[in-house]
Amino acid sequence: MSSTDALARLAAVIESRKPANGGDPEKSYVARLLHKGPDAFLKKIGEEATETVMAAKDMEHGGDAHKLVGEVADLWFHSMIALAHYGLSPADVVAELSRREGLSGLEEKALRKAERRENSGE
């Protein structure tokens, strides 16, 4: 069983909890966030990103590795809710990471900057 399998299973659960698919906001945290709309789950992503940064900074001073892993898991989970809302999946993210494989970070960043210039007509 691969980690992408685990992400795909979680994505399927999130999909099933969408209010449009019968998810009940009274019984499901995912359904509640999706029912409230993007502001609700985007706020959670911001909170979880901040908590991830804080846990990572704590690691520099002997912090708990499990805390960092837990915060990253929370961040990924809430990001997966956003992906589902916009009709995307973890497979789309994995495909993008695969596309970038073998490129240096500097090359990839330069390519994105050039694409933005091209798309904006500069």
Side-chain angles (χ1 to χ4, degrees):
M1 196 74 46
S2 75
S3 55
T4 53
D5 292 337
L7 291 174
R9 285 192 312 275
L10 179 55
V13 170
I14 291 170
E15 191 67 29
S16 75
R17 303 278 168 83
K18 285 182 172 181
N21 294 334
D24 183 350
E26 297 297 318
K27 296 180 181 175
S28 165
Y29 174 72
V30 170
R32 185 177 310 141
L33 281 178
L34 290 169
H35 177 73
K36 288 180 179 180
D39 285 349
F41 58 77
L42 296 175
K43 179 180 177 185
K44 286 301 296 180
I45 291 171
E47 290 171 7
E48 299 303 343
T50 299
E51 291 171 6
T52 298
V53 169
M54 291 169 37
K57 290 295 286 179
D58 286 347
M59 291 294 295
E60 295 177 19
H61 307 287
D64 181 3
H66 295 292
K67 174 79 172 156
L68 177 57
V69 169
E71 294 302 343
V72 171
D74 291 345
L75 178 59
W76 286 16
F77 174 76
H78 289 89
S79 296
M80 288 177 66
I81 293 172
L83 288 170
H85 175 78
Y86 294 111
L88 299 166
S89 74
D92 296 306
V93 177
V94 170
E96 176 60 14
L97 291 171
S98 294
R99 183 192 68 77
R100 294 179 185 185
E101 189 174 2
L103 283 177
S104 81
L106 296 175
E107 288 174 319
E108 197 280 328
K109 188 173 182 177
L111 284 172
R112 279 190 285 144
K113 191 173 185 179
E115 286 173 3
R116 278 195 302 274
R117 273 197 311 268
E118 187 175 296
N119 291 337
S120 67
E122 292 179 14

